[in-house]
Amino acid sequence: VQLVESGGGSVHTGGSLRLSCAASGFITNDYTIVWIRQTPGKQREGIACINVGDLSTYYADSARGRFTISHDSVEHTVFLQLTNLQPEDTANYRCASDYFRGACKYTESLSYFWTGWGQGTQVTVSS
C-alpha cells in the first residue's frame, strides 16, 4: 500500500486548501482512509475518515462543518477540503489506511493501528 499526500501550503486565517491522498496497492476497492494531523509536542488528532466502499464518513468535532472528505474512485484519491482555516489548524496532515470497513469509528483513537501511512503534507495558517 502506498499513500501520497499533497496540497498543503501556507494560508491566512479564513483561507482554504484541498489536500489529496493518492492511494495505490490496495488488493480490494473497499478500504478506509483517515486524515490525522500532528503538531510537534502534541498527540495526533484524527479529524476525518471515509470508507471508499460504502462512502460512509466520520468527522471529529474540530473538523465538522469546516472540512469535507471525499473520494474519487477513478483517480483512487481521497480529498480533504479545508475551509475557514484557523491558526490552530496548523499541523502536518497525514492520511492513513486500513482494510477494516468499520475503522472510521476509531478516527479519534490514539492507539488504533492504521496499517498504511503517507508521509504527510504541511498546513500552516497565519493570522
Side-chain angles (χ1 to χ4, degrees), residues 16-82:
S16 299
L17 288 170
R18 189 175 79 155
L19 308 184
S20 300
C21 173
S24 61
F26 288 92
I27 60 174
T28 75
N29 290 321
D30 189 353
Y31 52 89
T32 297
I33 298 289
V34 66
W35 283 96
I36 294 173
R37 64 186 183 185
Q38 192 154 18
T39 304
K42 294 186 178 180
Q43 292 178 320
R44 78 186 198 191
E45 180 187 12
I47 56 174
C49 182
I50 188 167
N51 175 268
V52 304
D54 63 14
L55 299 182
S56 57
T57 59
Y58 177 94
Y59 294 94
D61 287 345
S62 59
R64 194 173 296 114
R66 296 190 301 132
F67 301 167
T68 303
I69 193 168
S70 61
H71 175 243
D72 183 324
S73 60
V74 175
E75 298 295 329
H76 302 292
T77 299
V78 169
F79 299 100
L80 186 66
Q81 180 70 46
L82 310 176

